[in-house]
Amino acid sequence: MQLRRPIKHPPNQKPTQFPNLKSLILILILIPMAALLSFALLSLLLLPSLSARRHPHLSATNIAVTDLCKASLDPQKCQSHFPQLPPAATVIDGIQSALKLSSQNLNSAREMVQQILDSSASSTNRTAASKTCLDLLRYADHRTSLASTDALPRGRNKDARAWLSAALVYQYDCWSTLKYANDTSLVDKTMAFFHSSVIPSGSDALSMVLNYDVFGDKTGLWGPARTERDGFWEPAPAPGGPGPAGGVPRDLKADVAVCKEGCEYESVQKAVDAAPDNAGPGARFVIWIKAGVYEETVRVPLEKRNVVFMGDGMGKTVISGSLNVGKQGISTYNSATVAVVGDGFMATGLTIQNTAGPEAHQAVAFRSSSDLSVVENCEFLGNQDTLYAHSLRQYYKSCRIQGNVDFIFGNSASFFQDCLILVAPRQLNPEKGENNAVTAQGRIDPAHTK
């Protein structure tokens, strides 16, 4: 018979009790539950990263207003005006909130400018300024909406940047137009609203899209927009993006013709009015403008897309005007002989001129706000402010441009290939040592498309 020695335990420690049947059952139940709980927690931890892999444009973590506003030229002001973000907001959600704020400010500004127009029957200058401003704000709202609903959801960041750059130009130009008609408290109040809210919110939205395009969701790299002067150069864009491909097509066939006698139309403007509204991609409306001098102002509005002016050659087909800032109610913007807003505009083989003369100051021959426009083998004649490349993306090929003071100017991302630039005398009787400025860049924000 073997005797068992008593087991000694450390002080204050109770001997281990063998579990009874109920305890054993409980242990067997709890072990699988603990394993299941651990698996659930692990799944929750992995879920955001898996989601981010499926949707690489979404942030894996929530975005904060402070992160977004790092892109602003005035981060503190941006944070104070920024709307509340939705729960679990991504970077794209934040940018969309910025665009919504910009649109709300644009709508408020349009109501204020409409009040100016309604109260300006006795003032020609104020009436003209408010009408121009309303047009510009409509264009700004259109471009902002396109960026929000079309470009960003499809990952077309370059388009969004171009359109928001244009929107900011229009906002600033509206303010600038009112500046020359600021003779009432209502105009002064409206200009103050542009300065405090409209332009800053437009700038913030543009800067956020710029940072998103360059750095993506890595908001730690975000900051106020920089330019080449700051030593900052953007990565080269991927090939195959939007832009011209060789110039105006050679095989175009006219839909209508314009001439003094025997054609469908006797004026260029009537032919433009006949073009369909909101034509889709590739649906060009070609206007053959036969040889002759057409003394008229021509406007291609926003809804007239893909309009083509086809002339019989420089110096043969001529559209001529003489509006200038010296006339009542005329600003630089609306002094243009030909002004184009509808996207996809093309022109070839014609001359557009403003004959106001060197002492008339600002007198535009051609103004374009047409995105992805192509102008080839055209001539632009004037003095001060001949060619107003106002906004968006423009391509000029084998053109002749003549003027004397800032005669190629504006805020578009323009490319001039094989163009002949001619400097005209600045005065009727030129003096020795006279200086002429060829170009004037209108950039008002470092985030502008360039």
Side-chain angles (χ1 to χ4, degrees):
M1 181 175 180
Q2 183 178 4
L3 297 177
R4 292 182 179 179
R5 294 181 180 179
I7 300 175
K8 296 182 179 180
H9 302 282
N12 303 322
Q13 181 174 328
K14 295 182 180 179
T16 302
Q17 300 294 325
F18 189 84
N20 57 25
L21 182 60
K22 291 183 179 180
S23 299
L24 181 61
I25 294 173
L26 182 61
I27 290 172
L28 292 174
I29 293 174
L30 289 177
I31 288 175
M33 290 182 63
L36 183 62
L37 180 60
S38 299
F39 177 77
L41 290 173
L42 182 62
S43 299
L44 289 174
L45 290 171
L46 289 175
L47 184 60
S49 62
L50 293 174
S51 177
R53 289 177 185 174
R54 288 195 301 268
H55 306 282
H57 64 286
L58 297 180
S59 296
T61 56
N62 296 355
I63 194 69
V65 171
T66 52
D67 295 322
L68 295 166
C69 286
K70 287 194 296 185
S72 174
L73 296 175
D74 189 344
Q76 290 186 342
K77 185 174 183 179
C78 171
Q79 293 175 35
S80 66
H81 289 83
F82 207 85
Q84 185 176 359
L85 290 174
T90 65
V91 171
I92 286 293
D93 292 333
I95 294 175
Q96 291 288 11
S97 294
L99 292 173
K100 183 177 180 180
L101 175 62
S102 181
S103 294
Q104 291 171 344
N105 285 333
L106 283 170
N107 289 332
S108 297
R110 289 173 72 175
E111 293 176 359
M112 298 173 76
V113 175
Q114 185 64 52
Q115 292 178 16
I116 295 173
L117 178 60
D118 294 342
S119 61
S120 299
S122 61
S123 173
T124 302
N125 283 339
R126 208 181 323 124
T127 296
S130 53
K131 286 182 177 179
T132 298
C133 196
L134 285 172
D135 284 340
L136 290 166
L137 292 179
R138 181 166 66 93
Y139 304 154
D141 185 63
H142 172 69
R143 297 298 176 182
T144 302
S145 177
L146 278 180
S148 175
T149 61
D150 186 18
L152 286 175
R154 300 183 183 185
R156 292 161 50 190
N157 299 333
K158 293 292 189 294
D159 285 339
R161 289 176 58 184
W163 296 337
L164 292 175
S165 292
L168 187 57
V169 171
Y170 304 147
Q171 294 163 28
Y172 179 83
D173 285 353
C174 182
W175 174 88
S176 181
T177 298
L178 293 175
K179 180 174 64 175
Y180 296 100
N182 186 12
D183 54 0
T184 69
S185 59
L186 181 56
V187 175
D188 190 64
K189 178 182 177 182
T190 303
M191 290 180 63
F193 180 66
F194 270 87
H195 183 71
S196 66
S197 301
V198 179
I199 294 174
S201 63
S203 174
D204 289 344
L206 172 60
S207 294
M208 290 175 195
V209 173
L210 164 63
N211 275 271
Y212 181 69
D213 184 35
V214 176
F215 302 114
D217 292 341
K218 299 176 181 177
T219 54
L221 299 176
W222 284 28
R226 295 178 293 159
T227 67
E228 297 84 356
R229 292 184 179 182
D230 304 313
F232 177 75
W233 296 84
E234 287 190 35
V248 178
R250 297 289 183 265
D251 57 349
L252 294 177
K253 295 182 179 180
D255 292 291
V256 297
V258 177
C259 62
K260 298 299 181 180
E261 293 182 2
C263 296
E264 290 98 328
Y265 301 99
E266 295 182 359
S267 77
V268 179
Q269 186 63 60
K270 288 182 179 180
V272 171
D273 295 341
D277 291 348
N278 302 313
R284 298 189 182 97
F285 186 80
V286 181
I287 302 172
W288 178 18
I289 310 171
K290 295 187 178 183
V293 177
Y294 301 86
E295 296 184 353
E296 59 177 307
T297 56
V298 179
R299 301 292 180 260
V300 181
L302 180 66
E303 62 271 14
K304 303 295 183 179
R305 301 175 187 163
N306 305 322
V307 171
V308 181
F309 285 2
M310 185 171 62
D312 284 338
M314 286 188 275
K316 296 179 180 179
T317 297
V318 180
I319 305 175
S320 182
S322 60
L323 293 177
N324 60 86
V325 296
K327 295 184 177 181
Q328 187 78 3
I330 299 298
S331 64
T332 303
Y333 179 84
N334 55 29
S335 69
T337 300
V338 175
V340 181
V341 183
D343 289 347
F345 175 78
M346 291 186 176
T348 182
L350 54 85
T351 293
I352 300 173
Q353 66 182 15
N354 191 310
T355 62
E359 295 189 346
H361 301 292
Q362 293 93 337
V364 176
F366 179 67
R367 167 172 57 82
S368 178
S369 305
S370 172
D371 197 20
L372 302 178
S373 57
V374 180
V375 179
E376 184 177 6
N377 293 321
C378 288
E379 181 179 51
F380 305 98
L381 302 177
N383 290 280
Q384 183 171 349
D385 294 0
T386 303
L387 176 56
Y388 193 176
H390 185 220
S391 62
L392 296 162
R393 296 164 286 189
Q394 305 179 25
Y395 176 49
Y396 297 85
K397 181 179 180 182
S398 302
C399 293
R400 300 176 77 247
I401 308 162
Q402 177 178 298
N404 49 37
V405 179
D406 299 341
F407 61 96
I408 302 174
F409 76 111
N411 211 315
S412 76
S414 298
F415 188 84
F416 296 83
Q417 179 180 349
D418 297 331
C419 291
L420 184 61
I421 297 175
L422 304 172
V423 179
R426 188 170 177 175
Q427 300 172 350
L428 289 175
N429 298 308
E431 298 177 359
K432 186 177 180 180
E434 186 180 67
N435 295 320
N436 299 75
V438 174
T439 65
Q441 166 59 252
R443 182 187 294 169
I444 59 170
D445 193 287
H448 273 150
T449 296
K450 44 193 176 292

